Amino acid sequence: MGKKKKKKKEVIKEGIIQAVAAEDTGEFARRFEAYHDELRWLYMELYDNGSMFAELCDRLGQFYRERSAALKESDRKREADPGWYKQNDMLGMMLYIDNFAGTLNGVKEKLSYLEQCRVNYIHLMPFLETPKGRSDGGYAVSDFRKVQKKLGTMEDLEGLTAACHEKGIRVCMDFVMNHTSEDHEWAVKAREGDGEYMSRYFFFENSYIPSLYENTVPQVFPTTAPGNFTWLPEQKHFVMTSFYPYQWDLNYKNPRVFNEMMYNFLYLANRGIDVIRIDAVPYIWKELNTQCRNLPQVHTIVRLMRIISEIVCPGILLLGEVVMEPEKVTPYFGTVEKPECHMLYNVTTMATTWHTVATRDVSLLKKQLDTVFNLPREYLFLNYLRCHDDIGWGLDYGTLAQNGMEERAHKKYLNDYFQGYAGESNSRGELYNADPITGDARFCGTTASMCGIEKAGFEQDDAAMERAIRLDVMLHAYMFVQSGIPVLYSGDEIGQVNDYSYKEDPDKAGDSRYLHRGALDWDLTARISDKNSVQGRLFDRLGQLEEIRRREKVFGSDASVHTAETWDRSVLCVERCFGKEKLVALFNFSETEKTAWIEAEDGEYLDLVSGQPMRAKDVKVPGYGFYYLKKR
Ligand code: GLC
């Protein structure tokens, strides 16, 4: 680098730091100084645009100044205790505001129910303005600074986050940064032919370039929204739409897009959001002749976001939505020196769990868990059984092939099984994006329906109901034994089943994910105090497990975790060790009694659930049963 150039750079840097310092306390300047060089380096690498960088720095200062005193105080506390979210006391729940309580203020009124559920982290599903009927469940945002009218206002959001913080509940929201709705003001202006705004998306006059992209870019919604481009007849242009035709992909090669989206991100963070879920993050950078997934520039952008949040609002966490195979997921943690996301979804484990339910064979799950357990303990995963999306059956087909299971046939088996058509299945649910060409299909259904609660309830079969509840509880017990943050899907705490009413709503009928996005039935929640009801039985048993998880240090993220052989294909053994404490957990994925042929260290163990002393040797585990055996 030439001497002259270096000097110029230094002058700019000093200028910015002085400008910032002049208006601020030492805190912001300290953080800014610590990250400036890397921030500038990465920004210039992507955009080589000094004036846009200067504008960004300026606005960071502004967002810092606008941040409330209470949030700044919480930032300081979390900065002083960077592992604050890695304890074993976190329990999450994801919920749609309207389904849960109508409005943001309604959620505020229901906080005591969430406390009863022992939940201290809530993910509010998309609530920003979105066009009716073209919303993709709120993932097509038309205004990043406005709440959907029917749900409330930005002030209501701030009121809710403040009320949550008072009760020690953290709040997560989606930041849908890959695309905007076609009704977003940028899209509206682009549609009018304004070049400045067209350059914020991907526009093409004819099909030539789009067809080149189509050669290499896979489809997200092959049946409900085929192709990656949409023809706009009035504009006589194609626009890139990787998801639905009304979700226009943003062009992050344009620094204006990056800057403005960062301002939106900080604006939302300043409303009191603790966790920002970066939606569809692998897709945010596009290059011809690639799959347009996980490109290196995506990681630069996530690292930039991390730095920006460390400077302005270090108390917030970034949660990456990376629904990909494991080797694509972990890079989103970044490195220890240059971290990107704080947390990621444990998606392959989730899909492998349901594969295990269908096959009663834990071998693939054991392998998958070992892979996750061997990752650095700094990596924090969100564990879940079901979320608002379909299950994509992203399994390790290489390993399955060694046992004669071929991908296409096995996916078909899983889909048939969970629809209740194959094997010893009691599940109920529906396919999602069944693609007749590739034979691929995904799956929708609630945890309870997939465990057999819907079928047993319909058939009024008490024995089947008890079995279904046992499976449901065992799956939660198994989820809780993993390190990270367990997240329930609203309704799972009472075994809420599929909701078929979406078929009567023309805005939803085409998207079977609404099957597991039904409104919470408050009449059913009222039954949790009735110990004989399905709801009461589930709620109680899950509550007991949550208490154990919170109380016992051996469930913390610092514990070492590994699986052990049980010599029975249906029984999984997970061991957790922390200091002198040891937990041997056994899970039977079949409906009949099995023996775990284990021989843990001698001595007495205590089953934390029943409180009974037990030996951890050749343990008989009842059908769909489990044990949490703690060494005494
Ligand atoms: C994420 C969301 C999904 C949505 C997609 C497009 O994957 O989880 O529901 O359809 O992004 O924004």
Side-chain angles (χ1 to χ4, degrees):
M1 196 186 301
K3 240 185 175 179
K4 250 186 172 175
K5 209 172 170 191
K6 204 172 174 189
K7 259 196 173 159
K8 194 175 155 201
K9 251 182 159 185
E10 270 164 17
V11 171
I12 294 178
K13 178 182 163 185
E14 272 162 28
I16 292 166
I17 292 180
Q18 276 163 15
V20 164
E23 301 169 55
D24 209 75
T25 64
E27 177 177 78
F28 180 79
R30 169 179 56 78
R31 294 180 191 146
F32 188 82
E33 173 67 36
Y35 287 104
H36 171 273
D37 289 354
E38 193 192 344
L39 181 67
R40 184 183 166 84
W41 178 270
L42 294 176
Y43 192 93
M44 288 306 181
E45 189 181 62
L46 280 187
Y47 300 122
D48 193 21
N49 188 327
S51 61
M52 289 295 288
F53 179 69
E55 180 201 286
L56 177 75
C57 294
D58 209 40
R59 296 294 296 273
L60 298 191
Q62 190 184 330
F63 280 105
Y64 170 79
R65 287 193 299 281
E66 284 167 13
R67 197 159 168 80
S68 75
L71 293 177
K72 283 181 183 165
E73 189 47 40
S74 139
D75 288 338
R76 276 172 217 129
K77 281 201 190 122
R78 291 176 184 176
E79 246 186 333
D81 175 21
W84 66 270
Y85 58 99
K86 292 184 177 168
Q87 313 311 323
N88 44 318
D89 64 343
M90 294 275 275
L91 177 68
M93 182 178 276
M94 49 192 302
L95 53 93
Y96 276 96
I97 295 163
D98 50 353
N99 284 340
F100 181 72
T103 61
L104 285 162
N105 286 333
V107 176
K108 199 158 102 183
E109 280 159 29
K110 298 285 187 195
L111 291 185
S112 56
Y113 175 72
L114 293 174
E115 284 181 303
Q116 225 182 328
C117 294
R118 300 170 178 79
V119 162
N120 52 12
Y121 161 96
I122 52 171
H123 175 180
L124 300 173
M125 299 303 291
F127 53 78
L128 296 176
E129 197 174 78
T130 182
K132 188 175 165 347
R134 291 172 289 126
S135 80
D136 184 22
Y139 286 97
V141 177
S142 53
D143 191 335
F144 290 92
R145 310 237 175 156
K146 217 164 160 191
V147 171
Q148 286 169 39
K149 230 192 197 145
K150 62 171 192 181
L151 302 177
T153 62
M154 272 298 164
E155 289 70 46
D156 297 343
L157 175 67
E158 288 182 70
L160 173 61
T161 57
C164 284
H165 293 161
E166 259 173 46
K167 293 186 180 294
I169 300 175
R170 292 79 167 188
V171 183
C172 168
M173 78 171 285
D174 288 86
F175 184 52
V176 187
M177 67 182 288
N178 176 68
H179 43 260
T180 73
S181 152
E182 61 176 347
D183 284 13
H184 188 279
E185 70 166 303
W186 298 354
V188 171
K189 288 188 177 148
R191 219 185 251 281
E192 287 164 359
D194 185 329
E196 157 67 22
Y197 292 91
M198 286 172 79
S199 74
R200 299 186 187 188
Y201 299 94
F202 296 89
F203 274 88
F204 302 98
E205 285 172 340
N206 58 48
S207 63
Y208 178 62
I209 305 273
S211 69
L212 294 182
Y213 273 107
E214 294 290 12
N215 286 338
T216 54
V217 184
Q219 307 203 24
V220 181
F221 298 143
T223 320
T224 50
N228 288 292
F229 293 86
T230 299
W231 173 247
L232 305 173
E234 279 117 61
Q235 290 67 42
K236 302 209 172 12
H237 269 87
F238 283 96
V239 65
M240 185 184 262
T241 54
S242 304
F243 292 83
Y244 279 108
Y246 51 75
Q247 289 166 307
W248 292 11
D249 288 75
L250 284 168
N251 182 0
Y252 279 88
K253 284 186 182 159
N254 181 342
R256 176 53 61 205
V257 168
F258 176 81
N259 280 27
E260 293 296 332
M261 289 305 282
M262 290 307 102
Y263 307 154
N264 286 332
F265 154 53
L266 294 173
Y267 171 85
L268 294 166
N270 277 357
R271 309 281 72 75
I273 301 299
D274 302 272
V275 180
I276 295 275
R277 174 186 184 272
I278 318 176
D279 181 60
V281 60
Y283 302 80
I284 60 179
W285 193 276
K286 277 86 178 172
E287 291 290 345
L288 255 186
N289 302 319
T290 72
Q291 292 207 330
C292 296
R293 311 271 196 273
N294 309 301
L295 294 175
Q297 293 86 344
V298 173
H299 290 280
T300 307
I301 289 182
V302 180
R303 176 68 189 148
L304 282 167
M305 279 181 84
R306 175 69 181 256
I307 294 175
I308 287 170
S309 65
E310 295 290 355
I311 294 175
V312 180
C313 44
I316 69 141
L317 302 175
L318 299 180
L319 162 63
E321 192 227 357
V322 187
V323 181
M324 302 262 156
E325 51 274 43
E327 56 278 14
K328 305 271 172 51
V329 173
T330 44
Y332 285 87
F333 282 118
T335 62
V336 177
E337 297 79 35
K338 296 192 188 315
E340 295 177 23
C341 293
H342 297 81
M343 309 190 289
L344 296 170
Y345 288 94
N346 202 348
V347 54
T348 306
T349 301
M350 181 278 294
T352 310
T353 302
W354 291 108
H355 150 92
T356 311
V357 170
T359 58
R360 277 82 162 162
D361 181 345
V362 300
S363 48
L364 189 69
L365 184 60
K366 182 174 181 308
K367 182 163 187 266
Q368 165 63 18
L369 290 174
D370 279 334
T371 307
V372 176
F373 294 160
N374 284 325
L375 292 171
R377 281 179 220 167
E378 288 85 37
Y379 291 2
L380 197 89
F381 283 102
L382 284 200
N383 298 305
Y384 62 113
L385 295 171
R386 290 295 295 116
C387 71
H388 67 298
D389 278 330
D390 49 289
I391 304 177
W393 303 127
L395 305 173
D396 175 358
Y397 289 102
T399 298
L400 286 176
Q402 290 162 13
N403 297 324
M405 284 188 213
E406 186 269 325
E407 176 166 349
R408 188 165 167 163
H410 187 55
K411 275 189 186 167
K412 184 172 181 325
Y413 174 73
L414 293 172
N415 282 322
D416 285 350
Y417 179 90
F418 285 107
Q419 286 177 95
Y421 300 157
E424 296 285 299
S425 170
N426 294 307
S427 169
R428 290 291 178 266
E430 292 180 350
L431 298 186
Y432 178 67
N433 267 283
D435 183 343
I437 299 168
T438 60
D440 200 44
R442 287 124 74 169
F443 187 80
C444 297
T446 68
T447 304
S449 286
M450 291 177 75
C451 285
I453 289 180
E454 178 181 336
K455 178 171 183 266
F458 186 74
E459 294 172 356
Q460 300 193 357
D461 180 338
D462 291 342
M465 181 60 87
E466 178 53 26
R467 215 167 29 241
I469 293 176
R470 288 177 68 83
L471 172 58
D472 193 317
V473 175
M474 185 275 287
L475 290 179
H476 282 90
Y478 139 82
M479 170 168 74
F480 291 159
V481 96
Q482 297 169 55
S483 293
I485 304 180
V487 180
L488 307 175
Y489 190 72
S490 168
D492 278 0
E493 75 282 9
I494 54 159
Q496 183 146 309
V497 299
N498 293 336
D499 176 6
Y500 297 87
S501 69
Y502 80 95
K503 292 176 198 283
E504 285 136 41
D505 180 341
D507 290 342
K508 297 180 176 165
D511 193 326
S512 52
R513 289 176 299 178
Y514 287 103
L515 180 68
H516 50 250
R517 296 178 183 171
L520 182 68
D521 187 336
W522 286 97
D523 290 339
L524 293 183
T525 66
R527 294 196 200 153
I528 55 179
S529 45
D530 172 2
K531 308 291 173 227
N532 295 319
S533 69
V534 171
Q535 296 72 26
R537 274 140 80 193
L538 247 178
F539 195 87
D540 257 21
R541 294 194 216 174
L542 296 185
Q544 189 195 8
L545 297 176
E546 288 150 11
E547 288 293 336
I548 294 173
R549 184 174 201 277
R550 182 166 301 187
R551 186 183 71 216
E552 301 286 337
K553 290 215 164 43
V554 75
F555 284 88
S557 299
D558 295 341
S560 74
V561 197
H562 58 266
T563 67
E565 190 51 71
T566 65
W567 308 105
D568 185 292
R569 67 198 291 263
S570 299
V571 185
L572 176 75
C573 177
V574 176
E575 294 187 357
R576 301 188 62 92
C577 299
F578 181 71
K580 287 199 173 117
E581 296 197 5
K582 178 173 180 178
L583 181 86
V584 179
L586 297 168
F587 306 94
N588 181 353
F589 278 79
S590 85
E591 53 276 77
T592 52
E593 185 187 86
K594 300 279 170 173
T595 303
W597 301 104
I598 55 163
E599 191 159 0
E601 277 164 68
D602 234 8
E604 273 213 345
Y605 284 73
L606 188 74
D607 175 31
L608 294 175
V609 179
S610 64
Q612 294 301 312
M614 281 180 65
R615 297 209 47 208
K617 185 175 185 301
D618 305 344
V619 184
K620 287 192 166 38
V621 191
Y624 292 147
F626 67 95
Y627 288 116
Y628 278 172
L629 303 179
K630 191 180 164 199
K631 193 158 177 11
R632 300 178 77 169

